[in-house]
């Protein structure tokens, strides 16, 4: 690399959108197409990378590890520091545009992808945490029968039902199609992916389609996200 080459913030994730959609869209919104690097990593190859531990020098996890949490997404900043946690990255990426004069922002930029208003931000943060919690609490038992039984409980009386009812209610109160009414935020991007994708891509075995269909506001939000002008411009450059 020549010394004149500018190092750009680099987001590392897999080919699919999963936990990276919000961060990718937020980086595109703040920095444009050419202001960051969207590095897509092969999942099978990533799985083969040895998981390094640092019992003698924990600081090396943030100083020298290639992948600081052994999972992705990861944002590598120009200064060399690497960050994990998709929501933290998405919020940071959205906030990057806050102090930039309007004339220096990309033409497609929309304000408040992460809202400055404290109550709006609370609504967005709640939704993002709810989606995260859904993923974390989803029963993943090895044994298929046990997994099916636990997923049955998960969507009938467990956290998945509570969480979906909450998101459905928030969208009802906002008037939709987004959490903040007509204004898109990273909360809606998380509702689209990974949440909506779990159902739409058939990745939620043990949870029937009718369950998802009983939440029309969530479905409307998922359909409205790709129709937003920011996403339409984003998809001119990125397939997912
Ligand atoms: N809390 C983390 C979770 C990251 C995570 O679970 N990443 C998954 C993909 S969505 C991963 O890297 N899986 C591959 C692996 O663990 O080998 C975040 O939100 O960024």
């Amino acid at each position: 690399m020549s010394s004149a080459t500018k190092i750009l913030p680099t987001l590392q994730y897999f080919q699919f959108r999963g936990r990276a959609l919000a961060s990718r869209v937020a980086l595109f919104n703040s920095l444009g197409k050419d202001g960051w690097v969207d590095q897509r990593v092969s999942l099978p190859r990533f799985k083969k990378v040895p998981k390094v531990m640092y019992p003698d020098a924990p600081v090396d996890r943030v100083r020298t590890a290639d992948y600081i949490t052994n999972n992705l997404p990861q944002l590598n900043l120009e200064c060399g520091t690497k960050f994990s946690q998709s929501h933290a990255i998405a919020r940071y990426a959205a906030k990057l545009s806050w102090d930039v004069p309007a004339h220096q922002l990309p033409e497609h930029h929309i304000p408040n992808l992460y809202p400055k208003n404290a109550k709006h931000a609370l609504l967005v943060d709640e939704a993002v945490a709810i989606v995260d919690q859904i993923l974390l609490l989803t029963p993943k038992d090895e044994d298929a029968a046990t997994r099916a039984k636990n997923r049955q409980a998960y969507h009938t009386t467990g956290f998945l039902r509570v969480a979906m009812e909450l998101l459905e209610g928030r969208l009802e109160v906002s008037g939709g199609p987004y959490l903040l009414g007509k204004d898109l935020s990273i909360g809606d991007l998380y509702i689209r992916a990974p949440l909506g994708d779990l159902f739409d891509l058939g990745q939620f075995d043990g949870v029937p389609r009718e369950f998802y269909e009983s939440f029309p506001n969530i479905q409307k939000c998922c359909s409205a996200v790709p129709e937003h002008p920011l996403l339409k411009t984003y998809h001119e450059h990125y397939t997912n």
Side-chain angles (χ1 to χ4, degrees):
M1 185 175 62
S2 97
S3 57
T5 308
K6 190 170 183 285
I7 297 173
L8 296 172
T10 299
L11 184 76
Q12 296 177 302
Y13 193 62
F14 308 112
Q15 184 51 42
F16 48 88
R17 53 192 181 185
R19 278 179 157 107
L21 178 70
S23 297
R24 284 178 180 144
V25 171
L27 285 162
F28 177 68
N29 189 49
S30 293
L31 303 175
K33 167 85 178 83
D34 301 321
W36 63 291
V37 177
D38 177 31
Q39 193 178 103
R40 310 255 173 152
V41 177
S42 144
L43 180 57
R45 225 174 290 151
F46 181 79
K47 291 240 178 238
K48 286 189 195 137
V49 175
K51 309 280 183 255
V52 188
M53 301 299 151
Y54 301 91
D56 299 328
V59 69
D60 283 347
R61 180 158 295 282
V62 292
R63 279 208 184 128
T64 63
D66 285 336
Y67 299 113
I68 60 173
T69 52
N70 295 332
N71 61 28
L72 298 178
Q74 177 172 294
L75 181 68
N76 304 337
L77 291 186
E78 303 92 308
C79 60
T81 310
K82 297 167 180 163
F83 288 93
S84 67
Q85 306 310 315
S86 60
H87 346 99
I89 295 169
R91 267 181 219 113
Y92 165 81
K95 289 179 192 173
L96 275 179
S97 59
W98 281 7
D99 299 323
V100 177
H103 71 274
Q104 285 176 18
L105 288 167
E107 237 174 80
H108 57 254
H109 176 267
I110 58 161
N112 296 320
L113 194 58
Y114 183 67
K116 284 186 183 164
N117 173 288
K119 189 176 167 199
H120 291 175
L122 181 59
L123 271 161
V124 168
D125 287 343
E126 178 192 53
V128 170
I130 289 272
V131 172
D132 195 39
Q133 193 81 338
I134 288 174
L135 298 183
L136 286 175
L137 294 179
T138 296
K140 300 172 187 75
D141 309 78
E142 288 268 321
D143 176 63
T146 311
R147 190 171 64 242
K149 183 174 140 270
N150 288 338
R151 288 196 175 188
Q152 170 71 13
Y154 193 46
H155 82 271
T156 50
T157 55
F159 184 75
L160 182 58
R161 173 158 296 273
V162 173
M164 294 292 280
E165 287 175 358
L166 185 142
L167 293 175
E168 182 73 7
R170 291 290 187 225
L171 289 162
E172 179 82 32
V173 171
S174 80
Y178 306 119
L179 277 172
L180 301 175
K182 304 279 172 259
D183 295 328
L184 180 78
S185 72
I186 60 168
D188 308 300
L189 296 172
Y190 269 89
I191 289 175
R192 173 59 275 172
L195 182 62
D197 280 0
L198 284 179
F199 296 102
D200 288 335
L201 304 178
Q203 291 167 344
F204 226 153
D205 61 306
V207 180
R209 180 82 202 167
E210 304 82 71
F211 170 78
Y212 185 41
E213 282 164 4
S214 64
F215 300 102
N217 293 326
I218 295 180
Q219 290 194 313
K220 248 183 259 160
C221 177
C222 284
S223 304
V225 165
E227 295 307 316
H228 189 283
L230 174 62
L231 272 287
K232 290 215 164 200
T233 314
Y234 171 86
H235 284 301
E236 286 170 16
H237 304 283
Y238 311 91
T239 48
N240 58 16

